[in-house]
């Protein structure tokens, strides 16, 4: 019997074995969801020039200080300034210019009187009037968007390590970037193992089940920014496992990730092949579910073998692979999405292994309360679907009584 490794130790050993990954250029249209590999400093001020925030007439506020509906101030109209116009000429003293939203403000103008407050309201598409009657005053600076009011040239606007969101992409484009450096996606080769496994679409047969793990792992990894190389299913023979690993190696992934075949069954060839043809670092971790987690390398490529039971594989991926991906992508560890909740029923871990129960958190008045979600067998996926949290019994703790506080790891946000 080899020792049971603490989760944290196992995480560190895995992390230490992985090589850092580099960056690559990425076009802005493809960079949402990617991790920025450089700090972005603004080459421009935004807005890049003073411009109008309204359709109306730009002028000097002082010229129409006394304007009202009863006593309009009439100004000559000296120019028409549509959006996209080049640098406008200075505004002659005592005049107004028709201006549209987003158009550059001419030197000399200090405010924009909205068209609603003029006699030109409702006359869109008409020729430039010779005069405009101003029906209200406007304050200096009103309806003008100043150059640099959003951000200054030279300001750091996006930090290396940030996962780019839609609005970040918008900002990059607004600043004139056509491409940026992003972290290369970690390439993870994924396979399942077991003679009982069928691919979705195949008819179900006696003694067979569908291979759900590969799809769960694929979805988790993809969400976390990895490139997933799906390798299929290894049969429970040494030759089939070896062939699959060979296939994985040929694609030079950053990590090979498998499920099943790493426990103590006579057909558990994955661990055996690793032990004999590669190197096994550890294969038992002090957790439940998911004790048989094998880690090592195969022909120089880090290999992680998760347990076969679907809930164990899922939790193994959350605990070992997702934090690893963040580290590879140069991101700080995710803030733990953990809350305290009051248990409505007791939780046990008789052998003191760190245990993850599928739980359902609900609000009860001021309190968050926790109960178990469905049957807790580690093969039961539906209880995981119903759960919104994992309730944690820490290592060394054998029981948490009803009414006591439990740490709950929120699942909804975790997979978001
Ligand atoms: P093993 O580690 O091979 O002993 O598998 C443990 C359990 O997980 C068995 O009940 C398997 O049928 C099940 N299992 C293994 N691989 C998968 C998979 N890819 N999808 C769903 N269940 C699986
Ligand atoms: Mg098996």
């Amino acid at each position: 019997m080899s020792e049971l490794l603490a989760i944290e130790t196992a995480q560190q050993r895995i992390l230490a074995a992985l090589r850092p990954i580099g960056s690559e250029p990425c076009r802005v249209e493809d960079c949402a969801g990617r991790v920025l590999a450089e700090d972005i400093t603004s080459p421009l001020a935004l807005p890049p020039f003073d411009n109008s925030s309204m359709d109306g007439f730009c002028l000097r506020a002082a010229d129409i200080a006394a304007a009202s509906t009863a006593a309009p101030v009439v100004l000559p109209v000296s120019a028409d300034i549509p959006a996209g116009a080049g640098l406008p000429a200075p505004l002659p003293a005592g005049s107004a210019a028709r201006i549209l939203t987003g158009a550059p403000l001419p030197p000399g103008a200090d405010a924009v009187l909205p068209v609603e407050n003029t006699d030109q309201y409702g006359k869109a598409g008409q020729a430039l009037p010779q005069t405009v009657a101003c029906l209200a005053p406007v304050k200096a600076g009103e309806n003008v968007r100043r150059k640099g009011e959003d951000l200054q040239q030279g300001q750091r606007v996006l930090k290396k390590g940030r996962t780019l969101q839609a609005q970040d992409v918008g900002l990059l484009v607004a600043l004139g970037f056509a491409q940026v450096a992003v972290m290369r996606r970690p390439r993870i080769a994924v396979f399942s193992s077991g003679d009982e496994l069928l691919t979705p679409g195949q008819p179900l047969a006696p003694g067979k089940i569908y291979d759900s793990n590969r799809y769960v792992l694929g979805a988790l990894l993809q969400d976390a920014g990895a490139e997933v190389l799906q390798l299929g299913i290894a049969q429970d023979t040494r030759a089939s496992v070896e062939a699959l690993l060979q296939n994985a190696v040929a694609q030079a992934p950053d990590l090979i990730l498998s499920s099943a075949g790493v426990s103590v069954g006579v057909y558990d060839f994955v661990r055996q092949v690793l032990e004999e043809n590669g190197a096994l670092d550890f294969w038992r971790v002090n957790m439940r579910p998911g004790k048989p987690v094998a880690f090592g390398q195969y022909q120089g490529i880090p290999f992680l073998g998760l347990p076969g039971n679907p809930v164990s594989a899922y939790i193994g991926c959350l605990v070992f692979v997702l934090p690893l991906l963040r580290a590879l992508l140069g991101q700080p560890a995710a803030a733990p999405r953990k809350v305290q909740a009051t248990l409505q029923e007791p939780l046990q871990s008789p052998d003191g292994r760190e245990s993850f129960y599928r739980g359902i958190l609900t609000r009860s008045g001021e309190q968050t309360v926790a109960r178990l979600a469905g049957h807790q067998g580690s093969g039961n996926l539906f209880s995981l679907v119903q759960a919104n949290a994992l309730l944690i019994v820490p290592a060394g703790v054998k029981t948490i009584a009803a009414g006591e506080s439990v740490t709950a790891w929120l699942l909804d946000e975790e997979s978001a």
Side-chain angles (χ1 to χ4, degrees):
M1 278 275 172
S2 72
E3 57 164 339
L4 285 183
L5 217 55
I7 288 179
E8 222 167 87
T9 313
Q11 286 169 325
Q12 285 161 2
R13 298 249 284 257
I14 296 172
L15 189 53
L18 270 97
R19 286 178 221 105
I21 59 169
S23 65
E24 63 190 13
C26 182
R27 298 185 321 173
V28 280
E29 53 266 52
D30 300 324
C31 73
R34 302 295 300 270
V35 176
L36 196 57
E38 57 180 339
D39 285 335
I40 299 291
T41 301
S42 176
L44 301 174
L46 283 184
F49 49 86
D50 291 352
N51 69 94
S52 177
S53 68
M54 301 286 269
D55 294 332
F57 288 82
C58 60
L59 38 70
R60 290 175 180 80
D63 289 348
I64 61 163
S68 68
T69 328
V73 174
V74 178
L75 296 179
V77 175
S78 56
D80 195 18
I81 312 175
L87 257 194
L91 185 72
S95 76
R98 186 164 73 177
I99 192 164
L100 287 120
T101 306
L105 199 73
D110 63 10
V112 174
L113 181 67
V115 69
E116 293 88 333
N117 293 345
T118 72
D119 64 344
Q120 298 300 309
Y121 186 45
K123 298 183 182 170
Q126 291 198 358
L128 191 67
Q130 292 200 324
T131 61
V132 59
C134 303
L135 309 177
V138 68
K139 290 196 203 78
E142 223 173 321
N143 304 320
V144 174
R145 302 190 283 216
R146 288 289 170 207
K147 173 179 177 177
E149 72 176 24
D150 190 11
L151 63 91
Q152 299 291 328
Q153 183 180 6
Q155 203 174 320
R156 191 179 71 183
V157 289
L158 292 170
K159 234 170 126 179
K160 179 177 172 169
R162 180 177 174 102
T163 301
L164 292 170
Q165 303 176 51
Q167 58 270 40
D168 302 339
V169 178
L171 183 65
L172 287 169
V173 174
L175 292 174
F177 288 91
Q179 62 171 44
V180 288
V182 298
M183 298 302 288
R184 179 170 68 69
R185 286 185 198 279
R187 289 158 49 83
I188 317 271
V190 179
F191 72 90
S192 296
S193 74
D195 284 347
E196 73 277 35
L197 300 179
L198 296 174
T199 301
Q202 288 184 294
L204 193 58
K208 305 283 186 182
I209 58 170
Y210 289 110
D211 166 17
S212 58
N213 286 350
R214 220 151 36 91
Y215 302 88
V216 171
L217 297 176
L220 285 170
L221 297 173
Q222 220 157 9
D223 262 7
E227 181 184 336
V228 180
L229 312 169
Q230 286 288 5
L231 298 182
I233 301 169
Q235 298 304 303
D236 284 325
T237 65
R238 184 180 300 270
S240 177
V241 170
E242 280 173 350
L244 234 127
L245 281 169
Q246 224 31 66
N247 189 355
V249 167
Q251 302 196 46
D254 296 295
L255 175 73
I256 303 171
L257 183 66
S258 75
S259 67
V262 289
S263 194
V264 292
V266 287
Y267 298 110
D268 285 342
F269 284 114
V270 176
R271 182 166 56 82
Q272 286 183 29
V273 167
L274 197 71
E275 225 161 1
E276 290 160 22
N277 301 359
L280 186 67
D281 180 356
F282 61 82
W283 67 279
R284 285 153 56 85
V285 178
N286 190 30
M287 65 190 287
R288 174 190 298 107
K291 180 171 71 170
V293 172
F295 182 68
Q297 49 92 5
Y298 191 80
Q299 297 187 13
I301 295 178
F303 171 92
L304 181 65
L306 296 173
N309 277 309
V311 177
S312 312
Y314 172 85
I315 292 177
C317 188
L318 252 54
V319 169
F320 296 109
V321 188
L322 299 192
L324 171 75
L325 286 180
R326 287 188 66 90
L328 285 179
L329 288 165
Q331 298 184 300
R337 304 212 54 90
K338 290 180 181 167
V339 298
Q340 293 301 122
T342 305
L343 270 179
Q344 291 184 309
E345 53 193 306
L347 295 183
Q348 256 96 35
S349 176
D351 55 8
R353 271 192 273 158
E354 182 160 350
S355 298
F356 301 88
Y357 284 94
R358 279 140 276 164
I360 297 175
L361 300 186
T362 50
R363 295 291 299 173
S364 168
E366 291 296 286
Q367 274 194 334
T368 302
V369 296
R371 65 177 199 278
L372 291 174
H375 193 288
Q376 295 285 320
S378 59
N380 299 338
L381 258 183
F382 186 47
S383 56
L384 183 58
V385 167
Q386 291 171 296
N388 60 8
L390 296 175
L391 310 179
I392 303 176
V393 182
V397 174
K398 296 198 167 165
T399 177
I400 306 180
E404 287 189 346
S405 178
V406 68
T407 300
W409 181 357
L410 303 178
L411 289 181
D412 295 341
E413 284 84 352
E414 188 61 40
S415 49

